[in-house]
Amino acid sequence: MRSSIVRKLGIAILTAATLAWSVPLPAAATPEDGSFEEDDRKAAVQTPHSLPVADVLIDAGHGGIDSGTHYKDILEKDINLAIARKLYLILKSRGVRAVLNRTGDYALSDDNRWHRASRHMRDLSQRGSLTEEIEAKLFVSIHVNWSPKGKKRGPLVIHQKEGRSALLASFIQQALNRQQNTRRLPQSGGKYYVMNRIKVPSVIVETGFLNHDGDRALLTSPRGQTRVAAAIAEGIFFYRCIAP
């Protein structure tokens, strides 16, 4: 079983390198607040009593009282949401059923009042439970990184200790590496609660380091956010082409 996963991952990496030159990048899409909210409103009207079904559940990390990391007045939660919204629109424009777990600045822990634990654990539990409630096929969590000395840069994709998640992570990492001219490798994230809780292929995408000048300029620019979202989408498209 292990050797089969390793062989498949090796084939996937070679396939991604080949496809990168033959498959066009997703069209850039920058969401306007009005169009985004109107899209959600129409979906709610069409299915008022049912939960959506998702090919991809997009997790906009943090939110509300939980701002994540920050640099002066720049908050991680705002960057996560901006990139997540752009990813949502790019995926939908290519026919992928995507769902955002938050569309504004609020904490998911507010929706979880049955979990008798800390606010942080309620938040994580809510994020994990959503994949089961909406029957998501993939879980992609958007975050921003931070390094103690401010010298690290570039994206990092963290995955479940499981073959399909590693495959998804490799595609997204390669797409982001090409976009940001880096050479990072994805990493296993067994210590993360959400990674252990979710039962579908799952990754955490650390889109860059907020305390690195170059990364921060990319992540706070609408154009840069769209480029990051397009790279993540590219990795998802490649995975969906070969995944069982």
Side-chain angles (χ1 to χ4, degrees), residues 26-40 58 81-100 226 229-230 233 237:
T30 303
E32 299 293 339
D33 288 343
S35 62
F36 187 91
E37 299 300 338
E38 178 66 13
D39 199 29
D40 277 2
I58 305 169
L81 181 59
I83 294 175
R85 287 166 67 113
K86 289 173 169 59
L87 175 60
Y88 168 85
L89 286 184
I90 292 171
L91 292 178
K92 287 202 67 177
S93 73
R94 295 287 293 270
V96 178
R97 296 176 299 179
V99 171
L100 259 176
T226 297
F237 296 145

Side-chain angles (χ1 to χ4, degrees), residues 28-91:
T30 303
E32 299 293 339
D33 288 343
S35 62
F36 187 91
E37 299 300 338
E38 178 66 13
D39 199 29
D40 277 2
R41 185 191 65 79
K42 288 179 180 178
V45 170
Q46 292 169 358
T47 56
H49 301 297
S50 63
L51 288 169
V53 175
D55 295 317
V56 182
L57 173 60
I58 305 169
D59 170 39
H62 305 285
I65 192 173
D66 180 8
S67 64
T69 192
H70 68 91
Y71 180 87
K72 297 181 179 179
D73 61 344
I74 301 173
L75 306 179
E76 177 189 354
K77 65 177 182 178
D78 297 330
I79 296 173
N80 295 342
L81 181 59
I83 294 175
R85 287 166 67 113
K86 289 173 169 59
L87 175 60
Y88 168 85
L89 286 184
I90 292 171
L91 292 178

Side-chain angles (χ1 to χ4, degrees), residues 153-167:
R153 66 169 292 262
L156 173 64
V157 184
I158 301 165
H159 60 84
Q160 285 178 322
K161 298 177 68 174
E162 178 265 336
R164 294 171 303 164
S165 297
L167 193 62

Side-chain angles (χ1 to χ4, degrees), residues 116-184:
R116 299 185 67 180
S118 67
R119 179 202 56 76
H120 180 63
M121 289 305 299
R122 292 200 310 273
D123 181 276
L124 293 176
S125 176
Q126 186 72 359
R127 293 174 193 274
S129 297
L130 281 173
T131 59
E132 299 173 8
E133 292 178 13
I134 67 173
E135 300 180 357
K137 296 179 181 178
L138 300 176
F139 176 85
V140 177
S141 184
I142 308 298
H143 285 265
V144 175
N145 221 333
W146 178 276
S147 65
K149 296 183 179 180
K151 295 182 179 180
K152 292 185 178 181
R153 66 169 292 262
L156 173 64
V157 184
I158 301 165
H159 60 84
Q160 285 178 322
K161 298 177 68 174
E162 178 265 336
R164 294 171 303 164
S165 297
L167 193 62
L168 174 62
S170 71
F171 282 134
I172 296 176
Q173 184 73 66
Q174 288 177 76
L176 286 167
N177 282 345
R178 288 191 293 272
Q179 183 256 315
Q180 298 188 35
N181 193 28
T182 55
R183 296 183 178 181
R184 282 182 174 271

